Amino acid sequence: MQKVNTKLPAFVRQEGGSMEQKNLDQIIRETVARYMNRSLIVAGNWKMNTTPVEGVELFKGIVAKKGEVCSCVNFIVAPPFTHLSEIVKLSRGTGIGVGAQNCAAEAKGAYTGELSAEMIASLGVEYVILGHSERRQYYGETSETLNKKMAQAYANNLTPIYCVGENLEEREAGKHFDVVRQQVEEVVFNLTPEQFSKLIIAYEPVWAIGTGKTATADQAQEIHAYIRKVLAEKFGDAANETVILYGGSCKPANAAEIFAKEDVDGGLIGGAALKVSDFKGIIDAFN
Ligand code: PGA
């Protein structure tokens, strides 16, 4: 995973930026912490879409476009389980990471229909999405389950992409900060500092997922900065290095504005990841 972040620090971007007011140490510290050590990532969550044949086609289409987009961006694709083996093989040498969309909470045994983190990792998969709102909502995933899944992921060297986000009712009641704090505290706070250093977080407001409604860039920045602040309460400066992705109806038309925000390090993309041109258009937001 390369760590080259081409975004300019906010204090440089701001008109009439107050660089003089900051001493050199502070500038260096901020630049290094925020802009050198955080990867930019665009991850495609394919959900339960595409047959294996269609998935391979989609993946090949993405590979074909890779050379046309900024090399500063790391791509990840998370296809359905049935596609993983083939797509991992095709991904070799492309620099594109492959993730699963879920893993079992247990290591092995009589859990019909489940797939363990070990099975997934043995295919050469590097990432696993955990705590997606669809898993929380339709499959009853709780913090208790997610703590077990995180432990399985780390035990098998998978990097978790841990999703948090509030639903519409919670947003309208002004509870979004409390909701994400709870989702972070109940799971992420149980990690060791070493585990935490590998974690990727995705903020995905449930009301924006697949609805065509996106959080505004300012709303995204506000809550990303808040998540980073909560992480810092437990992990200190290491929180400056945590990649926090935005997800929820991210499209080529809105990605640039959202990704330009200081605490937004890329996106977790659903619907728009199923079309090569849209996925590429989103990655182009970094150009
Ligand atoms: P969407 O999904 O881009 O289709 O809204 C995002 C996600 O659920 O990861």
Side-chain angles (χ1 to χ4, degrees):
M1 179 73 56
Q2 60 175 321
K3 295 194 168 193
V4 182
N5 191 324
T6 55
K7 283 194 286 187
L8 288 173
F11 61 82
V12 176
R13 273 190 277 118
Q14 273 159 18
E15 220 178 312
S18 51
M19 284 183 75
E20 308 78 17
Q21 293 158 27
K22 303 216 172 203
N23 67 40
L24 195 58
D25 281 348
Q26 199 178 351
I27 290 172
I28 292 169
R29 200 172 54 244
E30 284 194 32
T31 306
V32 170
R34 294 186 188 163
Y35 300 98
M36 299 304 286
N37 286 329
R38 279 207 318 262
S39 308
L40 299 175
I41 296 178
V42 176
N45 173 12
W46 295 4
K47 308 194 180 182
M48 197 173 72
N49 292 299
T50 71
T51 63
V53 170
E54 289 164 349
V56 162
E57 280 315 297
L58 175 58
F59 187 73
K60 285 182 177 167
I62 293 167
V63 172
K65 293 285 176 203
K66 179 122 199 311
E68 294 174 25
V69 297
C70 181
S71 60
C72 58
V73 186
N74 297 281
F75 301 21
I76 299 170
V77 293
F81 286 129
T82 43
H83 309 17
L84 288 175
S85 177
E86 190 61 25
I87 288 183
V88 165
K89 278 187 218 147
L90 291 170
S91 73
R92 296 212 171 104
T94 65
I96 301 178
V98 182
Q101 297 172 20
N102 182 28
C103 72
E106 316 294 338
K108 60 163 73 173
Y111 300 100
T112 303
E114 289 291 280
L115 290 152
S116 70
E118 185 184 14
M119 293 170 190
I120 293 164
S122 72
L123 300 175
V125 170
E126 292 172 86
Y127 302 90
V128 61
I129 298 173
L130 291 177
H132 191 280
S133 63
E134 287 150 17
R135 303 279 330 161
R136 293 179 192 262
Q137 193 180 341
Y138 306 138
Y139 302 97
E141 284 193 358
T142 59
S143 294
E144 198 187 334
T145 331
L146 288 167
N147 278 314
K148 291 187 190 168
K149 292 189 177 200
M150 290 285 245
Q152 287 302 320
Y154 281 110
N156 290 284
N157 258 326
L158 292 171
T159 298
I161 302 174
Y162 177 65
C163 304
V164 298
E166 78 288 352
N167 63 31
L168 185 59
E169 208 178 297
E170 290 160 344
R171 164 69 61 167
E172 283 174 351
K175 291 190 181 147
H176 42 296
F177 293 111
D178 294 345
V179 170
V180 296
R181 171 178 280 279
Q182 190 177 353
Q183 289 167 335
V184 166
E185 282 186 354
E186 288 182 356
V187 176
V188 179
F189 277 22
N190 297 325
L191 301 179
T192 64
E194 205 208 325
Q195 289 173 329
F196 175 68
S197 69
K198 296 184 192 138
L199 183 72
I200 297 169
I201 291 191
Y203 167 67
E204 300 203 307
V206 181
W207 48 270
I209 296 178
T211 57
K213 253 182 142 181
T214 349
T216 64
D218 286 340
Q219 282 174 324
Q221 169 57 25
E222 182 184 40
I223 201 132
H224 279 230
Y226 179 74
I227 291 168
R228 203 176 297 288
K229 177 177 151 287
V230 172
L231 294 172
E233 288 171 16
K234 171 78 179 176
F235 296 102
D237 282 349
N240 283 329
E241 299 189 12
T242 307
V243 171
I244 307 180
L245 307 178
Y246 170 79
S249 296
C250 206
K251 304 269 183 300
N254 58 27
E257 200 188 344
I258 298 173
F259 293 174
K261 291 292 181 186
E262 188 175 332
D263 286 291
V264 180
D265 305 308
L268 180 57
I269 318 299
L274 296 171
K275 259 182 87 182
V276 175
S277 56
D278 284 353
F279 196 55
K280 177 181 179 289
I282 287 173
I283 296 165
D284 280 341
F286 285 110
N287 285 346

